[in-house]
Amino acid sequence: MCNKRGGNSLQPEKRSFFSTRFIQFLGGKNLLFGLITLLLLGCIILIYDKISFIFYPIIVFIKTVVLPVILAMILYYLLRPVLHLMMKWKIPKIWAILMIYIVGLSLISLFVTLVFPFLKGQFLNLIQEFPNYFMQVVHSVQDMIEKSSLSETLTKYNFNINEVLNNISNQLNVTVKDAAKELGTSLATGITGFISTLTGIIVAIVTVPFILFYLLKDGEKLPKYILKLLPPRMREDAAHVLHEADHQISSYIQGQILVAFCIGVMVTIGFLIIGLDYAVVLGVLAMLTSVVPYLGPIIAITPAAIIAVVNTPIMLLKLAVVWTIVQLVEGKFISPQIMGKSLHVHPITIIFVLLTAGSLFGVPGVVLGIPGYAVLKVFVTHLFYLFKKRYNKYTDHPDLEYEINDWKKTNNN
């Protein structure tokens, strides 16, 4: 009897499917719950696709709220260092925020009364004269080809360059006229939509100061409130992710705005020195487009190059010198000092992100694609960090283990 009992007690216990090493590595019973969650999520998506009209008010609410929230967050990250500096000077928080608002409203009033009318006049003149500049460039290219040896080669192969350039100019004129007609038709037939869009923009502009006020006042309490909603076991990891995401967004917005401002000032000064027409407007255009990395400078230099070519070839050479100096100063001195190493993103990755985000979301996607990618990268990086810890826990061979570094070191390398 004892031997039998002893024999039964020595028999290995039967292991369940969820207790195997591979399933434990994947998550054990959590794997089953994860699969069930994915199945339920798929069912929810399927149901939503069938009854999406029920959620239309929610979609309208999100579309209405997202613009003022994004604008307020950009201003919050720009003004937060100023607020912290004023608080170091022993100024109460509420009074510091009110002082920031007073200074901001004063600067906006000065811009609207002094700078905006000049920029508006210059911009309208540039819009009216730009087609003439473009046609002069086309005719210059046409004359240059006709006087060169390339004309004989094109004639030999029955390629009429004059006809091609005339077709391009005619197509450009037709496109401009059709766009004007479509704009007039859309304005005539879509007054309701136009008024709705205009109302949404006005509401966004009006609500931004209120959202910004509460962000400056209580914005630093928001991460703590979010952490309290999470289970205690997740709070440490969530705190790391929130802190790093906040650092990435703050560094990108503050750095990119400062870099764009410096580029706009340098381009304006350079164009004024060489005597290029519409120097201030082109400088402002360079400042606005510099917010988009790599693609922005190409957009900014195009109209300036066309205007320079129409003036004289020497002006084009001067423009090239100014633009080269600006890009060298920005790339070698300004960006490394302001941006630092806040975003560890390869230039090819940035271009792919800009193209993909622009195709999916248009202009907002181009502007917000890089910070969105930075936040997503922080989240994915931390998930991979947790994966490495779990892998090391269930691996047998020490040579196959991942090197686990500190969280800050992992994100800074």
Side-chain angles (χ1 to χ4, degrees):
M1 293 291 292
C2 291
N3 292 336
K4 289 183 178 180
R5 289 180 181 178
N8 291 334
S9 62
L10 295 177
Q11 288 182 358
E13 296 182 1
K14 188 176 181 180
R15 301 180 65 184
S16 65
F17 173 74
F18 291 104
S19 63
T20 59
R21 179 174 298 175
F22 179 72
I23 299 300
Q24 285 292 323
F25 165 69
L26 293 178
K29 292 183 179 180
N30 294 331
L31 174 64
L32 177 62
F33 295 136
L35 294 176
I36 294 175
T37 302
L38 290 176
L39 180 62
L40 293 177
L41 182 61
C43 293
I44 292 172
I45 295 174
L46 179 62
I47 295 172
Y48 171 79
D49 183 62
K50 300 297 182 182
I51 57 171
S52 58
F53 60 91
I54 297 178
F55 302 95
Y56 179 74
I58 300 176
I59 297 175
V60 172
F61 172 76
I62 293 175
K63 289 182 178 179
T64 305
V65 169
V66 67
L67 178 60
V69 169
I70 291 176
L71 293 176
M73 288 186 64
I74 293 174
L75 293 175
Y76 166 71
Y77 281 111
L78 289 176
L79 297 176
R80 186 172 64 175
V82 179
L83 179 63
H84 289 171
L85 181 62
M86 296 177 70
M87 292 177 64
K88 287 183 179 179
W89 295 343
K90 307 300 181 181
I91 300 176
K93 195 172 189 178
I94 297 296
W95 287 106
I97 295 174
L98 292 177
M99 291 174 63
I100 290 174
Y101 268 61
I102 292 172
V103 174
L105 291 175
S106 302
L107 293 176
I108 292 173
S109 301
L110 289 175
F111 176 80
V112 171
T113 56
L114 300 178
V115 182
F116 180 75
F118 172 76
L119 290 178
K120 179 182 177 182
Q122 291 285 303
F123 180 75
L124 293 177
N125 291 335
L126 178 60
I127 293 297
Q128 292 176 358
E129 296 182 7
F130 190 76
N132 297 329
Y133 282 113
F134 182 80
M135 293 308 301
Q136 291 183 33
V137 172
V138 171
H139 291 311
S140 299
V141 173
Q142 182 178 355
D143 294 338
M144 183 179 64
I145 292 177
E146 289 178 352
K147 294 178 181 179
S148 65
S149 59
L150 182 61
S151 177
E152 298 178 359
T153 305
L154 296 177
T155 305
K156 181 180 178 181
Y157 291 99
N158 297 324
F159 187 85
N160 192 342
I161 186 62
N162 295 330
E163 183 179 353
V164 173
L165 294 176
N166 289 331
N167 290 335
I168 292 174
S169 61
N170 293 332
Q171 186 64 38
L172 179 63
N173 292 330
V174 171
T175 302
V176 172
K177 292 179 180 179
D178 291 342
K181 290 180 180 178
E182 291 179 1
L183 179 61
T185 304
S186 61
L187 289 177
T189 58
I191 296 296
T192 303
F194 175 76
I195 293 176
S196 176
T197 303
L198 182 62
T199 304
I201 295 174
I202 294 174
V203 170
I205 295 175
V206 172
T207 54
V208 163
F210 296 97
I211 300 175
L212 177 61
F213 176 82
Y214 287 104
L215 283 177
L216 291 173
K217 181 177 177 293
D218 301 322
E220 296 180 353
K221 299 179 182 179
L222 183 60
K224 298 178 182 179
Y225 177 76
I226 295 175
L227 293 177
K228 289 181 180 179
L229 299 177
L230 299 176
R233 294 178 59 184
M234 298 176 59
R235 291 175 184 174
E236 183 178 359
D237 293 323
H240 286 310
V241 173
L242 290 176
H243 174 74
E244 188 63 24
D246 177 76
H247 173 70
Q248 293 282 338
I249 297 175
S250 176
S251 300
Y252 179 80
I253 292 177
Q254 296 171 8
Q256 201 67 33
I257 296 296
L258 289 175
V259 169
F261 179 77
C262 294
I263 290 176
V265 172
M266 290 190 298
V267 169
T268 302
I269 295 174
F271 287 174
L272 288 174
I273 291 174
I274 64 176
L276 185 65
D277 296 336
Y278 305 104
V280 179
V281 175
L282 294 174
V284 173
L285 178 63
M287 179 180 65
L288 296 177
T289 56
S290 296
V291 177
V292 181
Y294 300 103
L295 299 181
I298 298 175
I299 299 172
I301 194 61
T302 302
I306 293 174
I307 295 174
V309 168
V310 172
N311 288 333
T312 56
I314 298 178
M315 181 60 71
L316 181 61
L317 180 61
K318 293 179 180 179
L319 172 66
V321 172
V322 170
W323 194 261
T324 302
I325 293 174
V326 170
Q327 293 300 316
L328 287 176
V329 172
E330 182 269 332
K332 299 295 183 181
F333 299 101
I334 297 178
S335 289
Q337 295 297 324
I338 295 177
M339 298 291 287
K341 297 181 179 180
S342 57
L343 291 178
H344 306 280
V345 185
H346 195 275
I348 296 297
T349 304
I350 291 178
I351 293 175
F352 285 155
V353 170
L354 292 176
L355 294 176
T356 304
S359 300
L360 292 175
F361 307 107
V363 176
V366 174
V367 176
L368 302 175
I370 302 302
Y373 172 80
V375 175
L376 181 62
K377 181 184 176 183
V378 170
F379 181 74
V380 174
T381 301
H382 191 68
L383 285 181
F384 185 63
Y385 173 76
L386 296 178
F387 167 80
K388 291 191 293 185
K389 291 179 63 176
R390 177 177 287 273
Y391 179 87
N392 290 349
K393 181 179 179 181
Y394 289 101
T395 187
D396 294 330
H397 204 292
D399 294 336
L400 299 179
E401 291 184 355
Y402 280 107
E403 181 180 355
I404 302 296
N405 298 322
D406 184 69
W407 164 255
K408 295 183 179 179
K409 294 181 181 179
T410 304
N411 286 275
N412 290 331
N413 292 330

